[in-house]
Amino acid sequence: MLSLKNISVKYGSFAAVHDINIEVNEGEIVVLLGSNGAGKSTTFRTISGLNKPAEGEILFEGKSLNKVSADKIVQLGIGQCPEGRKLFPAMSVQENLRMGAFVHRRKKDEIKKSLQHVYELFPILHDKKEDAAGSLSGGQQQMLAIGRALMSKPKLMLLDEPSVGLAPLIVEQMFEVIQQINREGTTILLAEQNANAALKIADKGYVFENGSIVLQGTSLELFANDEVRKAYIGA
Ligand SMILES: Nc1ncnc2c1ncn2[C@@H]1O[C@H](COP(=O)(O)OP(=O)(O)O)[C@@H](O)[C@H]1O
Ligand SMILES: [Mg+2]
């Protein structure tokens, strides 16, 4: 479904991502692991068209994304839930969700259905739909960010560190919803530092270090790997 082939990304002369290869198949949950500054968000922004690769090719459903603009990439079916959530804090929950449907703005009935779907996944967002996004708790804001990404009806959803700053119980609930979204047919690419929670739901993963992929494998393989355990799981 998504292939990154020998992708390098630069900020000026600094290569933040160097010669990486990633394959995401339809239906999978794939996780990118790595500590701060490893290159996960840069990779995400390159897939969603906000950064452009200096080298290599990105294919989505067989089509090159290299020269496609960010809004067109959303239209093609890649939805991004960015690092730090990037909500509009003064706008209501429902207004934030509607912003996510911007690419479908002429299809009123579809937007209504998508809203219903998000409210079924996250009943708390329905209870708080008139409240300002900025007034929600951290966990609720993350759910809103995921809900907003769903409003574009993505085939592939990019989730950049959704568990950051959240209590363990909330993380668990959120990962359950991510699994449910996946079961309903959305392919998921997830970046996480919480390897433990992420590998439990992922099919496979890639480990980033200093902009390169140093290890890849199925979740079971990575979970059993001593280096991964030492660096990201703490056992
Ligand atoms: N806009 C930017 N300009 C310059 N350097 C950046 C920018 N964004 C990220 N970087 C650098 O690129 C590297 C990878 O960062 P990032 O992709 O954010 O990693 P991660 O998401 O894994 O924490 C880091 O060294 C970071 O400092
Ligand atoms: Mg990041």
Side-chain angles (χ1 to χ4, degrees):
M1 182 182 217
L2 178 78
S3 311
L4 275 65
K5 295 186 187 290
N6 305 104
I7 289 291
S8 297
V9 189
K10 292 186 170 176
Y11 297 111
S13 61
F14 170 64
V17 164
H18 181 67
D19 198 22
I20 62 165
N21 288 283
I22 292 177
E23 287 289 334
V24 179
N25 298 310
E26 194 174 347
E28 282 182 328
I29 299 181
V30 178
V31 64
L32 309 184
L33 300 173
S35 51
N36 262 329
K40 306 179 299 297
S41 297
T42 299
T43 301
F44 273 23
R45 284 199 304 270
T46 307
I47 296 168
S48 44
L50 300 170
N51 293 341
K52 286 296 170 188
E55 280 166 65
E57 188 164 42
I58 305 182
L59 296 171
F60 181 61
E61 298 186 317
K63 200 171 165 269
S64 172
L65 296 185
N66 286 48
K67 288 185 177 141
V68 182
S69 65
D71 60 325
K72 194 77 209 298
I73 288 174
V74 178
Q75 265 173 18
L76 289 175
I78 301 182
Q80 152 122 285
C81 185
E83 187 172 33
R85 296 159 200 158
K86 306 284 189 321
L87 298 169
F88 303 97
M91 286 170 51
S92 73
V93 165
Q94 182 139 305
E95 284 165 337
N96 269 275
L97 289 175
R98 286 183 171 279
M99 295 295 283
F102 184 75
V103 296
H104 301 302
R105 60 195 173 281
R106 289 190 195 86
K107 305 171 192 156
K108 295 238 159 56
D109 287 350
E110 272 188 34
I111 293 176
K112 223 169 140 185
K113 268 192 216 147
S114 300
L115 262 180
Q116 261 168 9
H117 178 228
V118 170
Y119 288 146
E120 276 160 26
L121 282 171
F122 302 110
I124 188 72
L125 295 183
H126 185 257
D127 297 347
K128 298 194 175 247
K129 66 181 176 172
E130 307 298 340
D131 293 10
S135 74
L136 302 183
S137 72
Q140 291 161 359
Q141 290 194 21
Q142 187 57 57
M143 290 171 195
L144 177 54
I146 295 173
R148 185 182 56 183
L150 272 179
M151 291 295 293
S152 71
K153 303 220 281 184
K155 299 176 198 168
L156 169 68
M157 179 142 85
L158 312 179
L159 284 164
D160 197 350
E161 300 214 34
S163 79
V164 158
L166 303 182
L169 190 65
I170 307 293
V171 172
E172 207 174 297
Q173 289 169 359
M174 195 190 56
F175 274 64
E176 272 169 28
V177 179
I178 292 171
Q179 258 184 317
Q180 186 176 343
I181 291 168
N182 175 251
R183 279 197 298 266
E184 289 174 0
T186 308
T187 304
I188 308 269
L189 182 59
L190 178 70
E192 265 298 335
Q193 296 191 42
N194 187 341
N196 200 15
L199 287 175
K200 272 185 199 153
I201 68 164
D203 297 292
K204 68 182 188 198
Y206 296 84
V207 179
F208 277 67
E209 254 175 52
N210 298 320
S212 297
I213 291 172
V214 294
L215 203 62
Q216 67 186 73
T218 65
S219 294
L220 282 176
E221 286 165 352
L222 293 178
F223 208 82
N225 183 289
D226 280 345
E227 283 168 59
V228 173
R229 296 191 74 84
K230 242 187 271 162
Y232 305 107
I233 298 172

